[in-house]
């Protein structure tokens, strides 16, 4: 019988799973021996060293604020899945992120998926993603990215994951998920097919699509949703695109950002966590703190202009390492609603962008700048 071809990542995943399986029955001394051996094997093969880790952020609930206890959630984003037959690298990347999150001890309170699960919004891509994410041990919340939406205008996504705009409360924090990639109709007048529309939205620099926005209907919904909360409620908003204006040509941009910010401004502290930009990105506008998250698929380069001052840029990726510049992340939510954001780059040490760094406008607890040479 013909031997089935296995990619290097599949083999790596299998070895890694076997390793984790065997680790369960080991005492501490043998664990160190086995993990050192595994590290040696990985290095000798030129593979990335085992990267799973459990960052420990010690956080004291601030009893004085009376605003609940601290907790954490994990974040996975921008997997851009093709069907497995077309490309299995991105599929394996998502599998690995799920595996990493499942190995966190203790488990996060929930996992948030930041959008662009699919590459071209096809049913097979979205179904494959849903199947993989089902393996997460912690409860999962989903957000839409433009790559998930513009083939069938969200029909399959809604069928799999429900409504794209929603809110909930957890341990004293109010969470909101928005669909921030609404575009004006550029396709009907041009007589585009659904796939042409999807491919246009998926492209950069094409000058044909409209800019992303939250749109009037969702802004109205947001106003109503927030109306019942007092200004000292910790508020965390999830959006796919950054809710500010960074670089229009790549749609690192939300056209009605100022109007959305005006709705959020009423609150003492707001954290906005977004995907889409596939890179370490940090911004603060008044009382609104913005954190960009890593992709599991690929890192985007930094925009040529408009970079926020608080951003510590990560290294440009090593073009010979398909995992460089990618990863998943964790968010430690403090009792006051501000967060420490852990970037878990797959081939680097984790980097934490702390709340004290942002509160002090970049003066305290500055995250380490990348110290590897750039490519
Ligand atoms: Fe993306
Ligand atoms: Fe995106």
């Amino acid at each position: 019988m013909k031997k089935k071809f296995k990619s290097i990542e599949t083999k790596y995943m299998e070895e890694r799973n076997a390793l984790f399986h065997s680790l369960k029955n080991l005492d501490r001394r043998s664990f160190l021996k086995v993990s050192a051996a595994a590290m040696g094997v990985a290095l000798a093969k030129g593979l990335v060293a085992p990267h799973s880790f459990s960052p420990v952020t010690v956080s004291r609930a601030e009893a004085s604020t009376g605003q609940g206890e601290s907790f954490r959630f994990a974040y996975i984003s921008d997997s851009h899945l093709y069907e497995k037959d077309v490309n299995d690298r991105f599929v394996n990347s998502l599998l690995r992120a799920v595996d990493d999150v499942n190995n966190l001890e203790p488990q996060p309170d929930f996992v948030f998926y930041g959008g662009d699960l699919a590459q071209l919004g096809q049913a097979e891509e979205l179904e494959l993603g849903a199947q993989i994410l089902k393996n997460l041990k912690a409860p999962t919340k989903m957000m839409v990215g433009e790559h998930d939406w513009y083939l069938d205008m969200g029909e399959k996504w809604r069928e799999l994951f429900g409504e794209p705009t929603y809110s909930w409360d957890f341990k004293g924090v109010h969470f909101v998920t928005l669909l921030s990639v609404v575009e004006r109709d550029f396709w009907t007048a041009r007589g585009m097919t659904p796939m042409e529309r999807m491919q246009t939205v998926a492209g950069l620099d094409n000058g044909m699509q409209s800019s992303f926005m939250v749109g009037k209907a969702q802004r109205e919904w947001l106003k109503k949703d927030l109306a019942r909360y007092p200004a000292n409620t910790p508020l965390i908003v999830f959006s796919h695109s950054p809710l500010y204006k960074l670089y229009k040509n790549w749609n690192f941009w939300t056209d009605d950002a100022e109007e959305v910010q005006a709705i959020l401004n009423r609150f003492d502290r707001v954290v906005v966590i977004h995907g889409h930009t596939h890179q370490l990105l940090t911004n603060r506008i008044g009382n609104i703190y913005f954190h960009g998250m890593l992709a599991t698929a690929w890192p985007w380069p930094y925009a040529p202009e408009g970079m926020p001052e608080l951003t510590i840029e990560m290294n440009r990726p090593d073009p010979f390492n398909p995992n460089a510049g990618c990863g998943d992340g964790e968010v430690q939510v403090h009792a006051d609603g501000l967060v420490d954001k852990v970037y878990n780059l797959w081939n680097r040490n984790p980097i934490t962008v702390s709340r004290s760094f942002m509160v002090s406008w970049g003066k305290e607890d500055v995250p380490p700048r990348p110290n590897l040479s750039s490519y």
Side-chain angles (χ1 to χ4, degrees):
M1 204 175 87
K2 201 177 151 203
K3 207 176 162 213
K4 202 169 169 267
F5 173 78
K6 280 183 190 169
S7 76
I8 196 161
E9 283 157 336
T10 307
K11 281 188 226 158
Y12 172 71
M13 279 296 292
E14 284 176 0
E15 283 170 20
R16 196 163 170 276
N17 288 342
L19 173 69
F20 275 113
H21 189 73
S22 66
L23 288 180
K24 280 186 187 139
N25 304 319
L26 292 174
D27 60 25
R28 172 99 187 128
R29 226 178 123 157
S30 346
F31 172 87
L32 290 174
K33 248 200 221 156
V34 172
S35 62
M39 181 92 76
V41 170
L43 289 175
K45 285 182 178 170
L47 294 171
V48 278
H51 56 282
S52 235
F53 71 101
S54 300
V56 178
T57 314
V58 179
S59 164
R60 282 174 297 275
E62 287 168 14
S64 59
T65 65
Q67 284 176 328
E69 52 184 305
S70 63
F71 60 93
R72 66 181 185 158
F73 60 90
Y75 192 100
I76 307 175
S77 196
D78 291 272
S79 301
H80 293 263
L81 298 180
Y82 294 76
E83 287 176 66
K84 195 156 172 66
D85 295 347
V86 181
N87 172 324
D88 74 348
R89 180 156 82 76
F90 295 162
V91 176
N92 288 330
S93 297
L94 180 58
L95 284 168
R96 202 162 125 181
V98 166
D99 193 33
D100 276 356
V101 170
N102 278 345
N103 281 303
L104 290 173
E105 280 289 345
Q107 274 290 286
D109 290 274
F110 61 91
V111 182
F112 192 87
Y113 191 86
D116 286 353
L117 180 60
Q119 171 60 12
L120 292 172
Q122 302 186 86
E124 299 78 11
E125 300 169 347
L126 289 165
E127 275 163 3
L128 179 62
Q131 229 173 42
I132 295 173
L133 293 176
K134 255 188 216 150
N135 291 300
L136 283 162
K137 290 184 201 162
T140 309
K141 303 259 183 199
M142 298 295 294
M143 180 166 65
V144 167
E146 79 279 17
H147 286 257
D148 302 319
W149 199 256
Y150 282 91
L151 183 65
D152 63 4
M153 300 308 287
E155 202 182 310
K156 188 71 196 177
W157 197 95
R158 281 173 200 264
E159 182 194 312
L160 288 168
F161 306 118
E163 283 308 304
T165 308
Y166 57 94
S167 66
W168 75 100
D169 293 297
F170 187 76
K171 295 192 177 176
V173 176
H174 186 56
F175 286 93
V176 172
T177 304
L178 297 172
L179 197 170
S180 67
V181 294
V182 175
E183 294 207 16
R184 282 182 199 91
D185 183 348
F186 62 86
W187 50 89
T188 306
R190 291 184 169 94
M192 287 180 161
T193 65
M195 187 44 100
E196 282 167 346
R197 173 178 61 205
M198 178 68 254
Q199 281 172 328
T200 305
V201 172
L204 305 178
D205 278 325
N206 55 38
M208 200 187 286
Q209 60 183 306
S210 82
S211 299
F212 292 152
M213 57 187 173
V214 170
K216 192 161 184 252
Q218 273 186 104
R219 292 200 310 269
E220 291 302 320
W221 173 88
L222 183 63
K223 258 186 232 164
K224 253 191 227 150
D225 180 76
L226 297 180
R228 62 203 150 107
Y229 293 91
N232 66 353
T233 309
L235 176 60
I236 296 185
V237 178
F238 294 108
S239 62
H240 183 67
S241 55
L243 286 183
Y244 57 94
K245 292 176 169 170
L246 201 170
Y247 189 59
K248 194 168 189 167
N249 292 0
W250 297 351
N251 248 335
F252 285 11
W253 187 273
T254 301
D255 223 34
D256 51 356
E258 288 89 350
E259 286 157 278
V260 179
Q261 288 165 19
I263 300 170
L264 303 176
N265 265 341
R266 179 170 76 75
F267 288 84
D268 297 345
R269 289 168 302 270
V270 184
V271 173
V272 175
I273 297 179
H274 65 87
H276 185 61
T277 49
H278 300 202
Q279 60 202 198
L280 255 91
L281 201 58
T282 308
N283 194 11
R284 181 178 162 189
I285 300 174
N287 55 349
I288 310 178
Y289 297 69
F290 301 87
H291 295 270
M293 308 296 280
L294 299 172
T296 66
W298 68 77
W300 282 122
Y302 279 105
E305 59 189 43
M307 286 303 294
E309 261 172 48
L310 282 175
T311 295
I312 305 281
E313 295 187 19
M314 63 200 209
N315 284 101
R316 295 191 62 199
D318 172 357
F320 302 106
N321 181 344
N323 295 318
C326 295
D328 53 37
E330 275 195 299
V331 182
Q332 174 83 30
V333 185
H334 293 276
D336 63 0
L338 293 181
V339 306
D340 290 340
K341 170 64 203 71
V342 183
Y343 290 94
N344 179 14
L345 287 142
W346 281 350
N347 55 345
R348 314 268 167 80
N349 290 330
I351 296 170
T352 300
V353 176
S354 65
R355 68 171 170 170
S356 46
F357 172 71
M358 296 185 75
V359 167
S360 66
W361 288 101
K363 289 189 185 69
E364 287 169 25
D365 295 328
V366 183
R369 281 168 204 282
N371 53 6
L372 296 167
S373 55
S374 285
Y375 291 84

